[in-house]
Amino acid sequence: SDGKPLAFKLQAAEKTYASFELRAHNPGGHSSRPQPDNAIYQLAHALVRLQQHEFPLQLNEVTRAYLGGLASQAQGAQRAAMEQLAKDPHDAQAGALLSADPEYVGILRTTCVATMLNAGHAENALPQRAVATVNCRILPGTPIDSVRDTLVQLIADPAIEVELLDRYPEAPASPLRDEVTTALRKAVDIRYPGLQILPSMAAGASDSMYFRAAGIDSYCVTSLFMHPEDDYAHGLNERVPADAIAPSLAFWNVLLRELAASP
């Protein structure tokens, strides 16, 4: 709230990206002759069941280290929850408290959420087709196919098709290498000397997934500092603070030169 950064994240792991389509079909008909079987209602019931489901709490080495380090910057119940999860990754109460915050739920659990809907073909006709896109961000070590199986079980309607749209790599975490952390320390220090650098797992996805899946250590960093509530990534109002651009260029200048000079 005071504009001072809490920590700098070094992304060494990320969740697997997977989008599924849920499809309901129906013979349709005229809207003046409604039938009990309606593709939109059928799909809506399935989405409500998805909304009510919470994937289990699941932390790894990276997320436990991240929460343990960030706890020193947090306050009150949130701080206590972070410290507890760093010690006991199965603490349901601490997990529930942090999961209520959009900033942390993505690193604690696999998540699946409806993002797009498409149904019907005319306002005076019963829908013959209803489609929902469900985007999942899956924790490392959890197979994509197992998440699909979970969706099928949740929906509990064999008439609704569940199809994986694209298969992205399932990638492991990268080890923290000395040449990376040393170069990053120098780059961070030019603006915020001594700022804590924390290993982190991205709730989203990056190009690093392809390198990690191929056995190449990969790391993601950003030179931008902003409040979490100002992050509208992928939104129509996506933006970054204008006064962050010049310091970002200085950051990259140091980081890239240091990495290029390392053996």
Side-chain angles (χ1 to χ4, degrees):
S1 60
D2 60 2
K4 294 181 180 179
L6 298 178
F8 186 94
K9 296 180 183 179
L10 168 58
Q11 189 237 87
E14 62 191 304
K15 298 175 88 172
T16 303
Y17 182 101
S19 285
F20 298 86
E21 269 196 356
L22 279 53
R23 306 189 192 106
H25 300 276
N26 193 275
H30 200 282
S31 62
S32 65
R33 302 176 63 189
Q35 303 292 322
D37 186 13
N38 183 298
I40 291 178
Y41 297 155
Q42 186 181 14
L43 184 62
H45 290 315
L47 293 177
V48 168
R49 287 191 284 271
L50 172 63
Q51 179 192 20
Q52 295 170 342
H53 177 73
E54 187 173 63
F55 283 84
L57 191 65
Q58 185 181 342
L59 280 82
N60 54 42
E61 268 189 83
V62 173
T63 51
R64 289 179 69 180
Y66 175 68
L67 291 175
L70 195 61
S72 62
Q73 307 285 351
Q75 302 292 328
Q78 197 170 72
R79 176 172 182 163
M82 289 178 179
E83 292 174 337
Q84 183 59 26
L85 283 177
K87 292 185 296 184
D88 178 9
H90 304 294
D91 190 295
Q93 185 174 355
L97 189 147
L98 287 183
S99 292
D101 189 331
E103 183 68 16
Y104 302 111
V105 64
I107 65 171
L108 300 177
R109 308 174 188 275
T110 289
T111 59
C112 289
V113 60
T115 55
M116 298 176 67
L117 284 171
N118 188 346
H121 61 279
E123 64 180 71
N124 61 349
L126 300 177
Q128 291 180 277
R129 183 173 180 268
V131 180
T133 302
V134 172
N135 183 246
C136 297
R137 306 299 176 122
I138 305 168
L139 287 167
T142 301
I144 294 175
D145 291 336
S146 72
V147 174
R148 182 193 177 278
D149 292 342
T150 298
L151 293 179
V152 171
Q153 293 170 7
L154 285 175
I155 292 167
D157 185 346
I160 293 182
E161 302 170 1
V162 180
E163 181 181 347
L164 175 65
L165 296 182
D166 292 293
R167 185 172 290 275
Y168 289 90
E170 300 173 30
S174 298
L176 298 180
R177 295 169 54 162
D178 289 341
E179 67 269 31
V180 174
T181 55
T182 299
L184 188 59
R185 178 75 270 167
K186 292 181 179 180
V188 172
D189 281 350
I190 64 172
R191 187 175 181 188
Y192 295 111
L195 180 65
Q196 188 177 28
I197 297 176
L198 294 177
S200 70
M201 180 190 73
S206 73
D207 290 343
S208 289
M209 74 171 83
Y210 298 100
F211 292 96
R212 292 189 184 116
I216 301 170
D217 296 339
S218 186
Y219 307 89
C220 241
V221 297
T222 176
S223 56
L224 293 166
F225 289 86
M226 62 169 58
H227 289 95
E229 60 268 23
D230 292 331
D231 184 2
Y232 294 94
H234 304 325
L236 297 177
N237 54 349
E238 185 170 7
R239 70 252 184 135
V240 299
D243 60 3
I245 302 300
S248 294
L249 295 175
F251 170 94
W252 285 114
N253 184 55
V254 172
L255 181 61
L256 294 176
R257 290 178 183 275
E258 289 292 327
L259 288 174
S262 64

